[in-house]
Amino acid sequence: MKPEVIVASSIFIAFCIAELARTNLLNKPGQRRKDAVVEVIGTLVLLVVTQPLVLLAGGLLAAALLPEHQGALGSLPVPAQVGLLLVFDDMTQYWWHRITHNVKWLYELHRPHHDAEYMSIRIVYRNNIFYYFLMPGLWLSGAFIYLGMGKVYAFYLMTKLLVICGAHSDLRWDRALYKNRFFSPIMWVLERTISTPATHSAHHGRHMDDGVTHYKGNYGNLLFFWDVLFGTARITRRYPESYGVENLAPVSAARQLLWPLVRDKKS
């Protein structure tokens, strides 16, 4: 097993163990039987099928279009390679995420992520199985691997996983730092740079009028900076009282995972 796979798995498992010990990983407030089905299947399909397949396809497409440029970007300085990934993977994911919240049929692919009535490491990869197939950043990342940025991409992906796991987990690691007189000013910078539990919880809140919830913003995945830059940021240092989708009827696990192939009778 590759070292980066071991590290990435260890990050995910560490958050699972922490939630199991401190916030009851397996019994979240408001959870339903279908939640576990969506989370397990959605996560496994992404990690075992979708992500490897799309990265491979992106690389093959780059090879077909740029057959003489394999490894051409591998000699770039590491900061330049990281910058390319931040723009072409993370920023494109910001825009993909933002578009899915504003185009109804695309929201059907992303709705499972918000259908959970809790925050948790469990929902990090909870999406319709077609959601990631259409994500531009994954295709571009496959092309960058072909162009020689595979090693940097592995470390970049581990960093990104650490941030998004921390942002989705209900451990709320930022809360103590907000209260600390020394760290509070540092958090002013950090919360405008990367996604934190408070800013991302606001994106998952259920009621827009609660003064915290901001599901039409706070789209950033690794970098919250994109929200600051493009005017979609809301920072309150508070957390919503409830999570989930607002003003939409419940749907089945099958519809969450397989829409548009599966449609509930009422939908």
Side-chain angles (χ1 to χ4, degrees), residues 3-16 43 46-47 51 89-90 93 121 123-125 132 153-169 173 194-195 221-223:
E4 60 268 24
V5 176
I6 295 175
V7 173
S9 301
S10 298
I11 291 171
F12 193 84
I13 292 171
F15 273 96
C16 288
T43 299
L46 169 66
L47 297 179
Q51 187 174 40
D89 173 69
D90 199 55
Q93 186 169 356
I121 187 67
I123 70 171
V124 169
Y125 295 125
Y132 292 103
Y153 178 74
F155 286 100
Y156 163 83
L157 195 61
M158 287 185 284
T159 302
K160 186 171 185 175
L161 179 63
L162 181 62
V163 171
I164 65 175
C165 285
H168 285 87
S169 175
W173 59 264
I194 65 170
S195 293
N221 200 251
L222 167 55
L223 294 187

Side-chain angles (χ1 to χ4, degrees), residues 102-150:
N102 290 278
V103 178
K104 187 178 184 301
W105 71 270
L106 285 177
Y107 184 69
E108 296 292 345
L109 303 180
H110 183 53
R111 174 182 169 164
H113 191 65
H114 288 269
D115 204 69
E117 297 182 0
Y118 46 84
M119 297 298 293
S120 173
I121 187 67
R122 291 166 43 173
I123 70 171
V124 169
Y125 295 125
R126 174 178 171 151
N127 273 297
N128 180 286
I129 64 171
F130 300 114
Y131 178 78
Y132 292 103
F133 274 110
L134 299 177
M135 185 179 289
L138 274 181
W139 289 84
L140 290 169
S141 294
F144 280 130
I145 292 172
Y146 166 79
L147 293 171
M149 291 171 49

Side-chain angles (χ1 to χ4, degrees), residues 15-143:
F15 273 96
C16 288
I17 293 173
E19 281 197 23
L20 188 63
R22 301 195 62 177
T23 61
N24 207 343
L25 174 69
L26 302 178
N27 187 22
K28 297 297 184 183
Q31 76 174 49
R32 301 145 298 185
R33 181 179 298 179
K34 65 181 179 182
D35 289 318
V37 174
V38 177
E39 289 156 5
V40 171
I41 294 177
T43 299
L44 287 177
V45 169
L46 169 66
L47 297 179
V48 177
V49 180
T50 310
Q51 187 174 40
L53 186 61
V54 173
L55 289 175
L56 175 62
L60 292 175
L61 185 60
L65 297 174
L66 304 167
E68 298 179 358
H69 295 278
Q70 184 175 8
L73 299 181
S75 59
L76 287 177
V78 171
Q81 295 187 44
V82 171
L84 287 171
L85 290 169
L86 287 174
V87 171
F88 290 98
D89 173 69
D90 199 55
M91 190 183 75
T92 60
Q93 186 169 356
Y94 162 87
W95 282 106
W96 168 245
H97 189 187
R98 183 171 175 174
I99 290 169
T100 60
H101 273 269
N102 290 278
V103 178
K104 187 178 184 301
W105 71 270
L106 285 177
Y107 184 69
E108 296 292 345
L109 303 180
H110 183 53
R111 174 182 169 164
H113 191 65
H114 288 269
D115 204 69
E117 297 182 0
Y118 46 84
M119 297 298 293
S120 173
I121 187 67
R122 291 166 43 173
I123 70 171
V124 169
Y125 295 125
R126 174 178 171 151
N127 273 297
N128 180 286
I129 64 171
F130 300 114
Y131 178 78
Y132 292 103
F133 274 110
L134 299 177
M135 185 179 289
L138 274 181
W139 289 84
L140 290 169
S141 294

